[in-house]
Amino acid sequence: MHKMAKKSFLAIALMMMVSTSAACGNNSNNGASSNNTEGGNTAATTAPAASAGDSGDKVTLTVAWWGSQARHDATLKALEQYKALNPNVTFQTQFSGWDGYFDKLAVQYSAKSAPDIIQMDAAYLNDYAGRGLLADLKDVNVDNIEAATVDGGKVNGTQFAMPLGVAALGMVYDKTVVEKLGLEAPKFGWTWDDYYAFGEAAKAKLGEDKYVFADQSADLVDYTAYQYSMGKGYIFDKDGHLSIDKDTWIGFMTKMDELRKKGILTPADITTTDKELDPQLDSVINGNAVMRHLFSNQVGSIEALKPDAFGYASMPKGTEAGGWLKPGMFWSVNAQSAHQAEAVKFVDWFVNNEEAGKTLGLTRGTPVNSKVVEALTPTFSAADKTSLDFLNQVTPDAQQFINDPQGWGNFKNDYKTVVEKLQFGQSTPEEAYAELMKTAEKYAAEAK
């Protein structure tokens, strides 16, 4: 399926859900429709009627999330803790990797079987909130959470998502290889000139069949960081319009092509099989490359796969910093849920309970609640301390984090398709930019 068609399917599925949701609330104990007569659009901002769970009767909450095995295991342990404190609550869990997560969620919403509690991503928050699919989380206690962090989960002033952790964008490198080659290690605060010089020096010592950087130019995160670092701002403007600077983008892709031809970036055949944090397919873990971008909340996962092998650095600077702080992810509550009050109560506990924080650790980034961080710090592993240091190093000059505008949640998938043609030499940067703008026009039209 073409990625644009896939994006349209996602939007159509969500719109179908909205148009048919009146008098069809979701009881996600079993995925069947209940007799709740609140429509999807009003449930997002209207307090739900008291459910069985609110009175202490038995209630089952369905919870969905994506992530690594470490996150899965920690979340399951936290759910057991919650059940011990709330014997009337049981959970049905749905966890997976990132791929396909939001495609499945769109289908579940259209079938009135979406989970009660949903791990949400910034790229999709405006889409789901804008269609009235998420409940208001105004009853979650945010006293010990920074206002700017809380605001990351708001849409038009309403708290449709609760940030769970904060992560910093930076880079990871195999320090064992860097030391073996006798290279000066990348560091926080390095520049694009440093980056290019490191690439040339490392390639000269690596030889033909090893590469310096995993080619992540098809990941929109990479270019966003570059445009920020060049002082050109975020890739969307304040009105939600795509704002990719033409000259900056073509210059970046031209340079990436140059590095690819020199063997500094991984070649296209390796790049397309690369899978971040996969023990066999991650190019830095399997030894095909030395360095890639990474978020600070992923330090524990990569360290577990290859202990004490990695060092960390910021995204390269231009006239400004390239990295930013991102809410690791959010919890949202399904506006169709028959148990909204119980679901919100769980979200409040998950964010604010210190014992839950100790169980969850940094699996979703550094916790947003300052009291939880204080309680957690004495228990930090070496990887946890490294992750926190990573976050602290990026924070002082971090760029602003901005949620993607409504209707653009899947744009990164089509962006990847366009850039992959460049990686395989099937287009030029100028041709790729023109194709990207045509794709963007379709998104802009649908977003209206």
Side-chain angles (χ1 to χ4, degrees):
M1 180 185 294
H2 188 276
K3 295 291 180 59
M4 194 67 202
K6 187 176 181 181
K7 184 262 181 185
S8 298
F9 166 73
L10 177 70
I12 290 168
L14 292 175
M15 288 188 287
M16 285 177 61
M17 195 296 305
V18 173
S19 65
T20 61
S21 62
C24 250
N26 173 47
N27 179 343
S28 50
N29 290 346
N30 53 21
S33 296
S34 73
N35 293 322
N36 179 1
T37 58
E38 285 189 332
N41 288 322
T42 59
T45 55
T46 303
S51 67
D54 304 329
S55 63
D57 293 339
K58 297 292 184 183
V59 60
T60 298
L61 298 175
T62 304
V63 189
W65 69 91
W66 73 85
S68 65
Q69 190 61 48
R71 184 183 300 160
H72 299 336
D73 293 343
T75 305
L76 291 172
K77 289 179 182 178
L79 297 183
E80 290 299 322
Q81 285 177 274
Y82 189 82
K83 284 164 59 178
L85 296 170
N86 300 271
N88 64 307
V89 178
T90 56
F91 294 100
Q92 291 179 350
T93 58
Q94 301 175 6
F95 54 88
S96 65
W98 167 263
D99 292 344
Y101 176 91
F102 280 94
D103 293 333
K104 178 180 178 181
L105 184 61
V107 172
Q108 288 175 315
Y109 261 112
S110 65
K112 314 300 181 297
S113 62
D116 299 284
I117 301 163
I118 302 159
Q119 188 170 285
M120 180 55 59
D121 185 75
Y124 294 92
L125 176 56
N126 277 308
D127 280 349
Y128 280 82
R131 292 183 170 93
L133 306 182
L134 306 179
D136 189 347
L137 302 183
K138 63 182 182 299
D139 291 331
V140 175
N141 182 356
V142 296
D143 289 350
N144 296 309
I145 306 173
E146 289 187 8
T149 301
V150 174
D151 289 348
K154 289 182 178 178
V155 177
N156 297 326
T158 301
Q159 195 78 46
F160 287 114
M162 185 55 55
L164 303 179
V166 178
L169 175 64
M171 304 195 77
V172 60
Y173 61 91
D174 190 324
K175 65 183 181 183
T176 64
V177 174
V178 170
E179 291 167 0
K180 182 179 179 181
L181 297 179
L183 298 168
E184 181 179 349
K187 59 187 179 182
F188 289 92
W190 68 334
T191 67
W192 280 105
D193 286 342
D194 296 330
Y195 174 92
Y196 299 136
F198 177 81
E200 296 280 358
K203 181 60 183 178
K205 295 187 176 184
L206 283 168
E208 288 295 318
D209 58 347
K210 296 295 179 182
Y211 309 92
V212 186
F213 304 116
D215 186 354
Q216 294 174 281
S217 59
D219 188 333
L220 188 52
V221 165
D222 246 37
Y223 177 71
T224 302
Y226 185 78
Q227 180 163 303
Y228 255 145
S229 75
M230 293 294 108
K232 300 295 184 179
Y234 189 55
I235 60 167
F236 291 98
D237 65 21
K238 60 182 179 62
D239 297 317
H241 302 135
L242 188 67
S243 186
I244 289 178
D245 183 79
K246 180 179 180 179
D247 291 342
T248 304
W249 194 86
I250 290 176
F252 176 74
M253 290 302 169
T254 300
K255 185 65 176 180
M256 293 302 104
D257 188 53
E258 176 188 323
L259 297 183
R260 202 175 295 118
K261 289 175 178 176
K262 289 182 175 181
I264 293 172
L265 291 186
T266 51
D269 58 339
I270 290 178
T271 298
T272 54
T273 61
D274 177 85
K275 188 173 182 180
E276 189 175 63
L277 298 179
D278 183 291
Q280 281 77 46
L281 299 178
D282 185 308
S283 294
V284 173
I285 295 171
N286 67 23
N288 282 328
V290 178
M291 196 168 194
R292 68 182 308 131
H293 77 235
L294 193 84
F295 280 93
S296 61
N297 64 320
Q298 297 172 307
V299 168
S301 297
I302 198 167
E303 291 283 349
L305 293 172
K306 202 171 178 181
D308 199 34
F310 301 108
Y312 303 90
S314 57
M315 295 299 289
K317 285 185 175 183
T319 58
E320 300 180 14
W324 58 84
L325 304 185
K326 180 182 184 293
M329 53 222 55
F330 308 89
W331 279 138
S332 288
V333 169
N334 182 358
Q336 295 180 335
S337 172
H339 304 298
Q340 285 187 40
E342 278 288 355
V344 172
K345 177 184 174 183
F346 168 78
V347 173
D348 184 276
W349 175 86
F350 195 96
V351 171
N352 293 309
N353 186 273
E354 293 180 10
E355 293 306 312
K358 291 177 183 177
T359 297
L360 295 162
L362 305 186
T363 55
R364 285 178 173 83
T366 302
V368 295
N369 185 305
S370 59
K371 296 293 185 183
V372 172
V373 175
E374 288 177 18
L376 194 58
T377 300
T379 70
F380 276 171
S381 66
D384 292 337
K385 292 175 182 177
T386 299
S387 179
L388 186 59
D389 179 65
F390 186 150
L391 178 72
N392 290 336
Q393 293 270 18
V394 173
T395 296
D397 57 1
Q399 296 283 1
Q400 182 182 6
F401 172 76
I402 302 172
N403 290 326
D404 290 350
Q406 184 173 346
W408 291 81
N410 268 3
F411 177 67
K412 60 183 175 292
N413 297 328
D414 289 292
Y415 181 93
K416 180 179 180 182
T417 300
V418 171
V419 178
E420 282 178 342
K421 291 182 182 179
L422 272 176
Q423 293 172 337
F424 278 98
Q426 297 171 351
S427 69
T428 67
E430 291 78 9
E431 291 168 344
Y433 181 82
E435 182 180 358
L436 188 64
M437 291 303 103
K438 287 182 180 179
T439 302
E441 288 174 5
K442 296 177 183 178
Y443 275 85
E446 292 186 15
K448 293 179 180 178

